[in-house]
Amino acid sequence: MKLQKTLLLLSLALLPAMALADMTDQQIIKYVSEASAKGTSQAEMVQYLLSQGVSPQRLQQLKDKFKSSQSGSKSTSTSTDRRRTNNGEGRASVAQKTNGRLMGTSAKGGKFDETSADYLSMQDALTGLVPDSTNQTMLMPLEPEKPKIFGHEMFNNENISFEPNMNIATPSNYVLGAGDVVYIDIYGASQLTIEGTISPDGCIVIEDYGPLQLGGLTVEEANRRARAKLSTCYADSKIKLTVGQTRTIQVNVMGEVAVPGTYTLSAFATVFHALYYAGGVSEIGSLRSAKLFRDNKLVADVDVYDYILNGQLSGDIRLQDNDVLVVAPYAVMVNISGKAKRPMLYEMKPGESIGKALEYAGGFAADAYTKSMRLVRTSGGMQVFNISPDNMNDFTVADGDSLFIDSVLMRYENMVELKGAVFRPGMYQLNEQTRTVRQLLAYADGLTETAFTSRAVLQRMRKDRQMEVIPLNLEAIVSGKAADVTLQNEDVIFVPDTKEQKENQTLTIRGEVFEPGIYQFAHNTTVEDLVLQAGGLKESASANKVSIARRDKTGRIKTFTIDLNQNLSADGKSFVLEPNDEVLVKRIEGYAEKQTVTIMGEVNFQGDFSLPHEKTRISELIQMAGGLTESAAENGVFVLRQMDEEELRLRRNRLDADRFSNTNFAIQRTSQMQGVTKLPISDSLMVVRDTREDIYKVAVDVRKVQKKPGCPDDLVLRDGDIIVVEKVKNTVYLTGTVPYKGAVPYVKGKTLKYYLRQGGIRPTHRNLKMAYTISQNGQAMSYRRWRKVEPGSEIYLRETTSEMTTAQKITIFTSVASTFATAAAVVIAVLK
């Protein structure tokens, strides 16, 4: 039987874990989102999801559900809301058309079988849930990041929207055209609203009147025509024409933009909107010269820098149908690096100066070296120029120039510093008021009372940046007995403080006082004073023969023994302590601490009791408590005891050994797992060790104790014990693998077989050996034929296991033998 149990345990350690927890939809979405944010490749995500039991069909269903929740149905409103909407192509539709050029092409990376059906199906299902960037190979070498061009991110940033404001008052110079919706409001004597859309011929049709020509007119001109034509029908009414939903226009964006082409935009769109929809300018595109042509004539040459830097919208003119916007390549590009407020690449116009470039960069940073800048020019050969603030407005930039602004040196030019025992330590400006040591000390409000004035230290930097020390007699300098010392830049004066030396002087007290420890020394402190500072004497303290240890000037230890004054009074002479003395208050010889225990439950006198001697037993305490009551359970007496240091140490060692064994067992299991994800090891023993109670239970057989006091079962009590005497119970509780779990009535003289039948179990030799009883005091007992079940007991039936077949025993034995043979071979190889 023991061999079967051993083989079974070893086989369980070698079997791989095949069960995988199924991921929920929320867990899949969370994993894909977090992995995408971390830059995990699509191949790695596919492998992980497959290993977690997620099928391609499951992921495709989740993708379809995700897409359906994102897309909404469009509805047509029949209300009279006249607010306009942007009826041009959105930025998203442009990005979809040009996905290959804006986003880059996808590529796969990683060492995976990309030809397997599961991998391809999972990759197709994952596409759409993962950003395109995660499809890129992780093995591509990273190119060094190029300097950004100022202003380019304005038109290619998805977080910035350049949607035109549609709900503004229609400009009076807006020219009506085919597709514009107009409203003619008639009010006064007649109340009527006429709505119409201008036809390609430029007309709207009014009922009972006919066509009204409006195309090609401005809003102001269209108002005058409507009033003139309709006033004959509505003589005593007022007429006002407004524009509703505007038409769309087609604009050609050409040249150096990310996606050149023809775009359908709102009639309110401007030059900036067209640049935004075209993806912004390319790397060589110009923000300083975007030319707008209308009817083959140059209408505007837009400088975007005027808007970015100065907020000027003069160049952002409204577009018209068939306008052509051409972005030329940049003419001059200057790189500004170093200590500028905004170091970047800046596009310059020919003829602009370095001063203008620095103005674009926001000027000098706070720690910039402004006296000279370094400019490197590559046109016609490598050249270096030193640019100063005096000539930077006269120095014209060239394409490819690189301007570097250095930082100031981390050196002071007019600084002296005071440290140590002065009232206002710190750095000071070196000027006429702080030129000498005496002046500087006076400016810093002088020396403190604890300053050591006989010798101070002046640290001075030589011309070769090497430090030298100059001793100073501050007392003589301040009193005028010695010559004053002239200070130099970066001089540092350190004034020693005697307070630090005094703070190192202490008094130590140990032994039978309430707060032993180290205390600050004070002159004229007596032993009684120090005892009072330490909280006074304990009850166990001996006022006779108090020891004082003192180190003399030769380094030797001298010991003094004194008797403390009666009641620690100040009467009479007392021993005065010196710096670093150590006082030891001894314990009274033969003193014993009071030990208290608690008894509760079915005794005549409950409460706390002081133990009369060190070997007081539980039988004596029961007598002190007046004995047990008639309702006390003789099998229900136990002691709750706090662990001492030795018991805690033994338990920690046992827990550490169990944790080590459990961890090795888990590692062996995970190392044998094939084709599944190796799950992390959870060490529950570490949690138990942190949250355990340091109290344990000791069962007491009170019948033996009362018959024979002083026997081994008569427990010797110790301080803090809690003795519990429970009331007798007239039930027996059944638990474990029994059909009926719960309490049944106690019947005197019945054995385990009787109570197993009460729980629905037919007693057999096998299940009787698997059962045991637990008394009220917590003592567990295995089955014995003659043993009667006591009242209040708990019967626990362990789970029985089926017998293994011969084939199973052979298989397990073969596996275990193979494992041990492999381990033996490794040991032999190591020993060789």
Side-chain angles (χ1 to χ4, degrees):
M1 192 67 181
K2 292 183 178 179
L3 177 61
Q4 292 177 359
K5 292 181 179 179
T6 305
L7 293 176
L8 181 60
L9 291 174
L10 290 174
S11 63
L12 290 175
L14 300 173
L15 289 176
M18 299 300 294
L20 285 175
D22 191 17
M23 297 179 69
T24 64
D25 291 350
Q26 291 80 3
Q27 289 174 336
I28 295 174
I29 290 294
K30 181 179 179 181
Y31 168 73
V32 172
S33 176
E34 292 179 352
S36 173
K38 294 177 181 178
T40 305
S41 66
Q42 192 183 62
E44 292 174 340
M45 286 189 277
V46 168
Q47 184 196 31
Y48 178 81
L49 292 174
L50 286 173
S51 68
Q52 294 300 310
V54 180
S55 64
Q57 295 78 12
R58 167 90 180 279
L59 195 62
Q60 184 63 42
Q61 293 174 357
L62 184 60
K63 173 184 174 182
D64 295 339
K65 186 184 355 179
F66 178 77
K67 282 190 174 181
S68 63
S69 65
Q70 294 295 319
S71 59
S73 59
K74 295 183 179 179
S75 60
T76 303
S77 174
T78 58
S79 67
T80 58
D81 189 356
R82 297 187 181 183
R83 288 179 295 181
R84 308 185 186 103
T85 60
N86 184 7
N87 50 2
E89 288 185 349
R91 173 69 178 261
S93 62
V94 177
Q96 291 172 1
K97 292 179 181 178
T98 60
N99 185 52
R101 300 180 66 177
L102 289 181
M103 301 297 182
T105 57
S106 63
K108 296 183 289 293
K111 298 179 181 180
F112 302 95
D113 183 12
E114 299 184 359
T115 61
S116 65
D118 285 344
Y119 177 88
L120 296 176
S121 300
M122 182 66 80
Q123 189 180 46
D124 292 339
L126 194 61
T127 303
L129 291 177
V130 184
D132 291 342
S133 59
T134 60
N135 296 335
Q136 299 175 358
T137 175
M138 304 298 292
L139 302 178
M140 294 177 59
L142 296 176
E143 297 181 0
E145 185 178 357
K146 297 180 180 179
K148 294 182 179 180
I149 303 176
F150 178 71
H152 277 210
E153 73 281 358
M154 183 176 181
F155 296 106
N156 57 23
N157 191 340
E158 294 292 341
N159 296 324
I160 300 177
S161 175
F162 267 89
E163 296 294 335
N165 188 0
M166 304 301 300
N167 292 295
I168 60 175
T170 307
S172 58
N173 60 351
Y174 177 75
V175 179
L176 299 175
D180 283 337
V181 177
V182 296
Y183 296 93
I184 301 177
D185 294 314
I186 301 172
Y187 53 98
S190 300
Q191 300 290 330
L192 180 65
T193 297
I194 300 172
E195 177 184 356
T197 301
I198 299 177
S199 67
D201 295 333
C203 299
I204 63 171
V205 178
I206 302 176
E207 188 178 356
D208 298 333
Y209 177 82
L212 176 63
Q213 183 72 31
L214 296 177
L217 302 179
T218 64
V219 175
E220 186 177 356
E221 295 170 344
N223 258 297
R224 289 199 296 267
R225 175 168 293 186
R227 285 194 291 268
K229 297 294 184 181
L230 299 179
S231 60
T232 56
C233 300
Y234 307 98
D236 297 329
S237 300
K238 295 182 180 181
I239 300 172
K240 180 176 179 61
L241 181 145
T242 58
V243 180
Q245 181 65 50
T246 59
R247 67 185 185 276
T248 59
I249 60 176
Q250 286 191 331
V251 177
N252 299 290
V253 184
M254 300 299 176
E256 299 301 329
V257 291
V259 188
T262 301
Y263 293 90
T264 301
L265 305 177
S266 166
F268 281 3
T270 64
V271 173
F272 289 176
H273 299 142
L275 288 175
Y276 176 75
Y277 289 128
V281 300
S282 64
E283 288 189 0
I284 65 171
S286 174
L287 289 175
R288 310 299 304 276
S289 179
K291 294 182 172 58
L292 180 64
F293 294 92
R294 184 174 295 162
D295 297 331
N296 296 324
K297 295 181 180 179
L298 179 63
V299 177
D301 191 356
V302 181
D303 186 352
V304 181
Y305 275 23
D306 280 346
Y307 168 68
I308 298 176
L309 296 172
N310 305 319
Q312 298 294 328
L313 287 172
S314 56
D316 190 25
I317 64 176
R318 187 178 300 109
L319 300 173
Q320 294 186 12
D321 201 19
N322 295 322
D323 279 355
V324 179
L325 182 65
V326 180
V327 177
Y330 69 82
V332 178
M333 189 70 69
V334 176
N335 182 20
I336 300 179
S337 60
K339 294 300 178 178
K341 289 183 179 178
R342 190 170 49 236
M344 297 178 72
L345 286 169
Y346 290 88
E347 182 185 349
M348 308 289 294
K349 290 184 177 180
E352 288 187 323
S353 65
I354 292 294
K356 194 67 175 178
L358 189 60
E359 181 182 338
Y360 292 157
F364 292 110
D367 57 343
Y369 181 68
T370 60
K371 294 182 179 179
S372 178
M373 297 171 282
R374 184 166 56 254
L375 184 137
V376 177
R377 176 165 294 176
T378 57
S379 59
M382 298 291 292
Q383 294 177 301
V384 176
F385 298 91
N386 293 326
I387 310 298
S388 66
D390 297 333
N391 65 350
M392 65 180 184
N393 293 322
D394 300 327
F395 198 97
T396 305
V397 297
D399 186 30
D401 282 355
S402 294
L403 181 66
F404 178 76
I405 304 172
D406 206 346
S407 61
V408 296
L409 296 177
M410 297 305 294
R411 296 182 182 179
Y412 293 96
E413 297 179 352
N414 62 339
M415 184 274 299
V416 290
E417 185 175 3
L418 267 177
K419 294 182 179 181
V422 292
F423 282 109
R424 301 189 184 278
M427 293 187 293
Y428 289 88
Q429 176 186 359
L430 182 61
N431 54 24
E432 295 300 325
Q433 296 177 334
T434 58
R435 182 62 61 185
T436 66
V437 172
R438 188 186 304 162
Q439 290 177 329
L440 180 61
L441 291 175
Y443 198 81
D445 287 345
L447 303 170
T448 64
E449 295 82 355
T450 58
F452 184 75
T453 59
S454 299
R455 187 182 183 91
V457 176
L458 170 62
Q459 294 180 344
R460 175 163 292 175
M461 189 79 67
R462 292 179 176 178
K463 293 183 179 180
D464 58 357
R465 306 298 295 176
Q466 297 293 321
M467 296 292 296
E468 68 171 334
V469 172
I470 303 174
L472 300 176
N473 188 338
L474 296 182
E475 182 180 2
I477 293 175
V478 171
S479 63
K481 296 179 181 179
D484 203 354
V485 178
T486 302
L487 298 175
Q488 298 180 9
N489 179 42
E490 295 186 309
D491 277 355
V492 179
I493 300 175
F494 176 74
V495 182
D497 195 341
T498 59
K499 180 181 178 181
E500 297 179 359
Q501 300 175 2
K502 294 179 181 179
E503 288 178 352
N504 293 330
Q505 296 177 350
T506 60
L507 294 173
T508 304
I509 184 169
R510 309 183 191 281
E512 300 304 307
V513 291
F514 286 101
E515 296 179 9
I518 301 175
Y519 293 83
Q520 183 65 41
F521 171 77
H523 292 285
N524 297 324
T525 300
T526 64
V527 175
E528 288 81 3
D529 297 332
L530 184 59
V531 168
L532 291 174
Q533 290 184 57
L537 298 174
K538 291 184 177 179
E539 184 182 4
S540 58
S542 173
N544 300 325
K545 310 300 181 184
V546 176
S547 300
I548 300 98
R550 176 177 298 170
R551 188 184 301 275
D552 60 15
K553 295 182 179 179
T554 62
R556 296 179 180 179
I557 301 295
K558 290 185 178 181
T559 303
F560 305 90
T561 303
I562 65 168
D563 294 336
L564 294 180
N565 293 337
Q566 193 69 18
N567 299 324
L568 301 180
S569 64
D571 300 334
K573 294 183 178 180
S574 183
F575 191 90
V576 179
L577 298 173
E578 294 185 0
N580 303 319
D581 278 356
E582 293 188 11
V583 178
L584 175 62
V585 180
K586 298 179 182 179
R587 178 186 286 259
I588 297 175
E589 186 175 355
Y591 179 83
E593 296 284 353
K594 291 181 180 178
Q595 294 186 343
T596 304
V597 297
T598 303
I599 188 168
M600 55 195 304
E602 297 303 315
V603 291
N604 290 312
F605 303 104
Q606 301 185 46
D608 297 335
F609 292 86
S610 296
L611 299 180
H613 53 85
E614 293 184 355
K615 294 185 179 181
T616 304
R617 296 181 180 271
I618 193 170
S619 59
E620 298 178 61
L621 185 65
I622 292 176
Q623 291 181 359
M624 294 169 63
L628 303 180
T629 64
E630 293 181 357
S631 59
E634 292 183 340
N635 66 337
V637 180
F638 57 88
V639 177
L640 297 177
R641 175 165 289 179
Q642 183 82 25
M643 286 187 175
D644 58 20
E645 292 297 328
E646 181 62 19
E647 290 170 335
L648 288 172
R649 185 187 66 81
L650 292 175
R651 186 170 70 170
R652 282 195 297 268
N653 292 341
R654 185 178 69 256
L655 285 174
D656 290 340
D658 292 343
R659 181 169 60 88
F660 179 77
S661 176
N662 187 44
T663 303
N664 285 342
F665 176 78
I667 291 174
Q668 291 175 6
R669 291 188 61 190
T670 55
S671 64
Q672 299 174 17
M673 298 169 69
Q674 302 293 333
V676 295
T677 299
K678 297 179 181 179
L679 302 177
I681 300 170
S682 177
D683 190 358
S684 61
L685 287 176
M686 294 180 65
V687 180
V688 173
R689 180 174 170 182
D690 290 339
T691 60
R692 66 181 183 270
E693 293 288 342
D694 294 335
I695 297 176
Y696 61 95
K697 187 176 182 180
V698 182
V700 178
D701 190 343
V702 74
R703 286 167 293 198
K704 291 183 180 180
V705 168
Q706 289 181 333
K707 288 180 181 179
K708 190 177 181 180
C711 66
D713 291 321
D714 196 1
L715 185 68
V716 176
L717 299 175
R718 67 188 189 195
D719 188 36
D721 281 352
I722 300 175
I723 298 92
V724 180
V725 181
E726 290 190 341
K727 183 181 293 186
V728 67
K729 299 178 182 177
N730 292 320
T731 58
V732 175
Y733 192 83
L734 298 173
T735 184
T737 57
V738 292
Y740 171 75
K741 296 181 181 180
V744 297
Y746 167 74
V747 179
K748 185 176 181 180
K750 297 297 183 181
T751 62
L752 183 61
K753 291 182 180 181
Y754 170 80
Y755 291 103
L756 286 181
R757 291 191 185 95
Q758 298 297 312
I761 292 292
R762 183 175 64 86
T764 63
H765 179 74
R766 182 179 185 81
N767 55 34
L768 285 172
K769 284 190 172 293
M770 299 301 293
Y772 58 90
T773 59
I774 304 174
S775 299
Q776 279 188 243
N777 59 10
Q779 186 176 11
M781 293 172 288
S782 61
Y783 167 72
R784 291 292 183 271
R785 185 181 306 170
W786 48 265
R787 180 170 290 159
K788 305 296 188 294
V789 177
E790 296 180 336
S793 297
E794 178 182 350
I795 298 175
Y796 183 82
L797 181 60
R798 291 174 290 180
E799 183 177 2
T800 60
T801 56
S802 59
E803 291 289 340
M804 291 186 294
T805 64
T806 304
Q808 290 174 330
K809 295 177 183 178
I810 294 173
T811 301
I812 294 174
F813 181 78
T814 304
S815 176
V816 173
S818 175
T819 301
F820 280 119
T822 303
V826 173
V827 172
I828 293 172
V830 172
L831 293 177
K832 287 182 178 181

